Each structure stands twice: as C-alpha cells, then as structure tokens.
Amino acid sequence: MPGAAVALDFRFETPGADKALADVLRGASVVNATRQTTAPDAQDLFAAARADYGRLLGALYAQGYYSGVIHILIDGREAAGIAPLDAPDQIGSMIVQVTPGPRFAFSRAAIGPLAANTGLPGAFAVGQPARSGAIVDAAAAGVSGWRQVGHAKAMVAAQQITADHRAAQLSADVRLAPGPRVRFGQLQMSGYNRMNPRRLAKIAGFPNGEVFDSDALDRVYLRLNRTGIFSSVALTEAERLGPGNTLDVALSVAEAPLRRFGFGAELSSLDGLNLSGYWLHRNLLGGGERLRLDGAIEGIGGQTDEADYKLGARLDRPATLSPDTSGFVTAEIARLHQEDYTSKRASVGVGFSHWFSETLSGEIALAATTSEVEDRVGGVVTRTTRFRQISLPTALIWDSRDKPLDATQGFYIDAGATPFLGFDTTGTGAQVTADARAYWRPAAFGRVVLAGRVQIGSVLGSDLLETPREYLFYSGGGGTVRGQPYQSLGVNVLRGALSQQIGGRSFLGLSGEVRADLTDKIGAVAFYDAGHIGIDAAPGGEGEWHSGAGLGLRYDTGIGPIRLDVAAPVAGNTGEGVQVYIGIGQAF
C-alpha cells in the first residue's frame, strides 16, 4: 500500500499570467486543492495530477487562452507519462507549470438563424476576448430565443471553431436548427397523493393548446412552488412531438408534510421579550387550501406593566379566480396595552391576492373591524371610545431582493392604501403607507453591503381623535428607530387639563446600515435610524423628530442571521440610555 506522503516541495508556476489568471488557475487545480487536505497520500496526489491537465486546459479556454502549455512534474517526471500501474509510493516534489500564451480574440462571432428580438451576450463579438463560455452563452441565448416564440425543440445543429495561433484569433460559427413551431399538448401529472388532481391542474394553469413558450412553462412551475404544498416540483418535456406538433409535459410532484409550525423571538432591554409562533396546514381540504394560525405575545417584562396579545387565522385557496389569483379569509383578535391606553380589537375579512409576475404581487380585501379603546392619564381611565369601520385594504409588493432574509442586492417596496368607512363616532378616511428598502454591494468592497429604508405613512380625511388607533402612527423601537423606546414618539392631546400621547396622522422613517462580513459566518453592522410623527396628514410636517444609532453583530445560520444590536438615542427627548435588541433576521 502506498504510504502517506506530503510533497516536500510544491510549486505552482504561471509564467506570463497576470494575477487574476493565476488565481483562476490555482482555483481550478485539483493538485492545489488536494495538497491542502489534512493527510494527502501519494496515490491521491498522483490521481489529482492526471486529472489536472483537463481541468487546467478548460480553465484556460474559459479565459480565452488556446495556446497554453501545461506541465505537471512529479519528482521530475511528467505525470501524464507515468502509467497508472507505476504510480509512485512516495512523492518528494511536485511542480505545476502553466504557460498560458497569448489571449485570443474573436475574429468571427457568428450565430444563426436567430429568432426576432433575441439578445446575444456582449462578450460574443468580434474583438472581444475569445472565452469559451461566451460561445456557450451565445448558443444558449439563441436556443432560448427560439423556444420563447414556440420552437420547443430548437437546438445547436453545427458549430465550427477555428483557432489561428499565429494571429491569436478564434473564429466561431454556430448554426441553429429551430425546428417546427409547437403547441402545448397534455399535462401528465403524477406524484400527488392527497391533492385533488382537478385542483392540481387548475393551480398549475397549464396552457393546453397554446403556442409553446418557455416562460409559460416557468410560470407553471412558480405557481405550484409558491403554494408551499409540495416539497418538489419537476416539469419534463416529452422527447418527441405528438400529433400536429404538440408537446406533452410530465409534471411530477412530491407533497410536503401536511402540518408545520414555527416560532420567533426578539428581546429588547427596555421593551421586553416578544414571542411569536404559527401553525400551518398546507392542504386542508385536498384542494391546496392553506390554513395558518398566528399568535404573538409582546412586551413581556417590558416598560408597560402588561403584555400585548394577538391571535389571527388566515385561510388561503390558490387558483380561486385564475391560476395566479387566490382567495382568502382572515380573522384576528388583539389586545394592545400601552402606557396611555388599552385597545381591544377584533376583525374579519375576505379578499384576493394576485401575482402579476415573479416579483410583483398585489392584494385587496374587504374587512370589518370593531375596537374599544380606554384612554388613561396618570393611570386613570379618562375616556372609553368604540371604533367601528368597514375598510378596503389594498397592497402592492415589488420584491427583487436576492435573499429575502439577508439581502445583498435589489430592492423591496410595499405600498398600501386602506380606505375606511366609519360608523357612529368613527371618522371616514384612508390610511396610506409605503415601505421602501434598497440593498447594494459595491464592487470595490465585496464584503460590504449598504442598506437603506424609507417608511412613509399618512391618514387622510379622518380627524385625529376620530381615527381608529390601529391606523395612527408611532415611532420608536426595533421596527422604526432603534435606541428609542418602543412607540415612544406620538402626538399630545388634551384630556381636560391633562395631556395624553396618542399616535399621529403621519409618519416618516429613515434608516441606513453598513453591513460588513468579518468572516463567512460573522458580520458587523453600523446603523442610524430617524423617525418623525406629525399631527397633520403630510409626512415631515408639523411634529417632532427623534433618532438613534448603534452597532450590531450578525451570525449566519444558513437560513437567516441571528441579530444583536446595541443602540442609544441621538436626538429627541423620548428616551435615554443604551438599548439591546436580539432577534432573527436582519432589521430590514
């Protein structure tokens, strides 16, 4: 048996290569990776050396180098010349030498025929570096262009690649075969168990009889996947066309466990402990119906002497009006205890949600709400008000984030409007809100992410004291201004000779973070938050500002980061001292 042996002398040489190319070659080398393992033996290193010729050649082609020379020497002998049965028992030295030669440029970059409006990668053009990946990407774009206009069996028919080593140029000519224009045939479903097949087909929204479009097939996959009913979804096109140039598609699904539960926690040194949890049934009646129960207890051990409670239920039915339109029913009861008032609320609603695209969704509902609010000044109840209203909450969400729980690029916009009709002493008006977030990772600072957030809210039409409390705005705490106590900023109203704080008719919140990865698992954050509560409907008008700032740590769990933030007030008179926040996921 070969004895364990670490190369006594290892060199990786790339004469004529710049640092970027040298790093690519080292990263592609199997030998370089194997020698860094805990205890490589001679057999491992020999096998890695024989595999490295192809790996390194592919890496050169990918960067546009077609005249490269590769030598891998084991104790002075070329590894390719050593027969497998003569593999050395011990290795004293290894030298990997890659001479890339000149970088080739495209002298010809042709592909065709192309479907109308096909976009080719800019790297596939005369004069550009002749990377092999550019040819592959151009061929893929050409095939995709034909598939998007109905030619499901489009393929690369031929290619002619010629390298001129004297001129360091590459001629590439790729010929495509579009094939016939195809229509969708039948959807052949399998793998479902409890799911009703008629409902499965309706949710999928398979466009039977329509002209083939690869994007339409992607939409079928997304509809099924976003229901949360299935642990896996696979769509496979038939290898051969059916009668009349129709294409059948096989759908294979695996149903996820029917029930699921989860919980969350966030701890603030001043606001106390917030606990939340949910229970989910994925397929309640066999038609994809999803029942979710949510509960939360907030402010345990916080600055108020009692905690807040909330219990809600929501039943969603996918593909109610169309494959992209779901119906839902909601119900919620809640008790909110603040320093100056206590609110008990109950609401029911019915509505629809619709997916316009993969990133844009909307929702509209009709809801009825009743609440009872006890105002207190100095611990004494000064007024009890009953609010009753019918509302029409609507929302649009545009989400282009790369990772919702820990975004590094993209944006998120949640805009909503809730017109409400009040009865008795309840006013009539509308609440309008917007929450916009953006994320950017500068190329010059690959381990840094800049994150920003703007929150806007306004109550139109309804007078302050006639507006249901859930539509008014407060500032302070982990969701608005860290470093300031939870909902510590509102507006003051007179109750006889005494002043009481309630929510305002407008809100403007600004937040900025600089997030830096210290290691693969640990990150640091510096942040600044500011909030304004106004008496009138115009955000940023008459009212007061406060702000806070601090530092934080993040630990990446693979699902989402665990968050620790330490913040203190910067401006305003609503708080003092340091506050600590612990939670799961980024602050925004």
Side-chain angles (χ1 to χ4, degrees):
M1 293 180 61
V6 177
L8 300 178
D9 179 27
F10 177 81
R11 285 182 288 162
F12 196 103
E13 301 173 349
T14 55
D18 58 22
K19 183 180 184 304
L21 178 59
D23 289 343
V24 168
L25 293 171
R26 285 191 179 89
S29 172
V30 184
V31 170
N32 191 43
T34 302
R35 61 173 283 269
Q36 297 180 51
T37 59
T38 304
D41 60 27
Q43 192 70 34
D44 294 335
L45 291 168
F46 176 65
R50 292 179 64 86
D52 242 3
Y53 290 99
R55 288 287 297 269
L56 293 170
L57 189 63
L60 288 172
Y61 286 179
Q63 298 300 315
Y65 296 87
Y66 296 88
S67 296
V69 178
I70 301 171
H71 292 293
I72 302 175
L73 304 178
I74 299 177
D75 290 331
R77 301 166 62 194
E78 190 73 45
I82 302 175
L85 296 178
D86 293 333
D89 293 337
Q90 295 183 350
I91 296 177
S93 69
M94 293 189 73
I95 300 174
V96 178
Q97 185 182 80
V98 184
T99 306
R103 192 180 213 180
F104 283 50
F106 284 116
S107 60
R108 176 175 171 80
I111 182 171
L114 295 174
N117 301 318
T118 299
L120 294 177
F124 187 69
V126 173
Q128 292 294 317
R131 295 184 174 92
S132 60
I135 304 173
V136 174
D137 291 343
V143 169
S144 177
W146 282 113
R147 282 173 55 82
Q148 288 178 339
V149 294
H151 297 260
K153 295 302 180 182
M155 60 183 293
V156 175
Q159 56 182 331
Q160 185 174 358
I161 312 296
T162 305
D164 183 344
H165 290 270
R166 290 186 177 181
Q169 292 181 335
L170 191 77
S171 172
D173 191 352
V174 180
R175 297 292 92 194
L176 303 177
R181 201 160 187 247
V182 172
R183 291 185 178 275
F184 283 110
Q186 300 298 316
L187 182 66
Q188 300 166 347
M189 303 181 299
S190 64
Y192 55 89
N193 182 17
R194 193 171 185 271
M195 187 73 185
N196 185 315
R198 293 181 60 185
R199 289 287 300 149
L200 175 60
K202 188 172 182 180
I203 294 170
F206 184 72
N208 177 263
E210 296 183 11
V211 174
F212 177 88
D213 181 356
S214 57
D215 290 342
L217 210 55
D218 292 340
R219 288 193 290 271
V220 171
Y221 173 83
L222 289 172
R223 290 181 192 124
L224 294 166
N225 206 43
R226 69 182 173 226
T227 64
I229 300 170
F230 308 106
S231 58
S232 69
V233 176
L235 291 165
T236 306
E237 299 174 19
E239 293 186 3
R240 297 181 180 180
L241 298 179
N245 289 331
T246 57
L247 179 68
D248 292 342
V249 176
L251 167 64
S252 177
V253 298
E255 295 181 3
L258 287 177
R259 298 170 185 84
R260 180 183 177 183
F261 67 91
F263 68 92
E266 182 168 343
L267 178 64
S268 167
S269 57
L270 187 59
D271 305 329
L273 176 64
N274 297 337
L275 297 176
S276 62
Y278 72 88
W279 178 87
L280 176 69
H281 195 300
R282 302 176 192 269
N283 194 8
L284 186 65
L285 303 175
E289 302 85 0
R290 184 173 62 178
L291 174 64
R292 176 169 172 145
L293 305 179
D294 285 273
I297 304 175
E298 300 180 348
I300 302 173
Q303 59 183 341
T304 60
D305 55 353
E306 295 184 41
D308 302 333
Y309 304 91
K310 183 171 66 175
L311 179 63
R314 175 165 170 148
L315 177 64
D316 285 89
R317 183 180 186 268
T320 298
L321 298 182
S322 75
D324 293 310
T325 306
S326 302
F328 62 85
V329 178
T330 63
E332 182 183 84
I333 56 174
R335 180 183 183 276
L336 177 64
H337 182 85
Q338 295 298 312
E339 184 176 348
D340 296 323
Y341 75 91
T342 298
S343 171
K344 300 175 183 177
R345 185 178 76 250
S347 66
V348 293
V350 59
F352 298 96
S353 58
H354 181 79
W355 286 87
F356 299 95
S357 69
E358 185 179 353
T359 58
L360 181 63
S361 63
E363 190 169 286
I364 185 168
L366 180 65
T369 305
T370 180
S371 60
E372 181 179 276
V373 177
E374 292 182 346
D375 292 311
R376 295 189 306 274
V377 177
V380 178
V381 176
T382 60
R383 179 179 177 181
T384 298
T385 308
R386 286 183 171 84
F387 295 99
R388 292 181 177 86
Q389 74 271 10
I390 294 177
S391 60
L392 191 70
T394 61
L396 278 176
I397 297 177
W398 191 2
D399 189 354
S400 72
R401 295 173 294 180
D402 55 345
K403 295 181 292 183
L405 292 180
D406 190 12
T408 62
Q409 60 184 13
F411 61 85
Y412 172 90
I413 300 175
D414 182 352
T418 305
F420 58 91
L421 174 64
F423 299 94
D424 299 327
T425 59
T426 305
T428 295
Q431 184 203 55
V432 180
T433 61
D435 183 353
R437 313 171 192 180
Y439 309 87
W440 178 46
R441 186 190 290 275
F445 305 96
R447 300 181 72 88
V448 174
V449 174
L450 303 180
R453 183 183 193 183
V454 177
Q455 299 178 80
I456 299 174
S458 177
V459 173
L460 306 172
S462 176
D463 290 338
L464 181 66
L465 296 180
E466 295 179 348
T467 302
R469 289 297 171 81
E470 61 266 28
Y471 296 149
L472 298 178
F473 301 99
Y474 294 85
S475 182
T480 53
V481 178
R482 287 162 288 184
Q484 298 285 356
Y486 176 66
Q487 294 192 350
S488 57
L489 182 61
V491 299
N492 293 317
V493 296
L494 290 176
R495 298 296 193 194
L498 300 176
S499 176
Q500 177 195 359
Q501 177 179 272
I502 65 172
R505 290 179 63 202
S506 63
F507 169 61
L508 178 60
L510 305 172
S511 297
E513 290 193 350
V514 180
R515 305 171 182 172
D517 294 333
L518 304 180
T519 69
D520 291 339
K521 289 289 186 180
I522 299 175
V525 175
F527 58 86
Y528 178 87
D529 301 332
H532 177 276
I533 297 296
I535 298 174
D536 299 322
E542 182 182 354
E544 295 186 11
W545 285 90
H546 67 171
S547 61
L551 300 173
L553 289 175
R554 305 290 186 266
Y555 179 79
D556 185 10
T557 64
I559 301 175
I562 296 175
R563 179 177 80 255
L564 169 64
D565 287 336
V566 179
V570 174
N573 57 8
T574 54
E576 59 184 20
V578 173
Q579 296 197 48
V580 178
Y581 304 87
I582 300 174
I584 299 174
Q586 295 285 3
F588 61 88

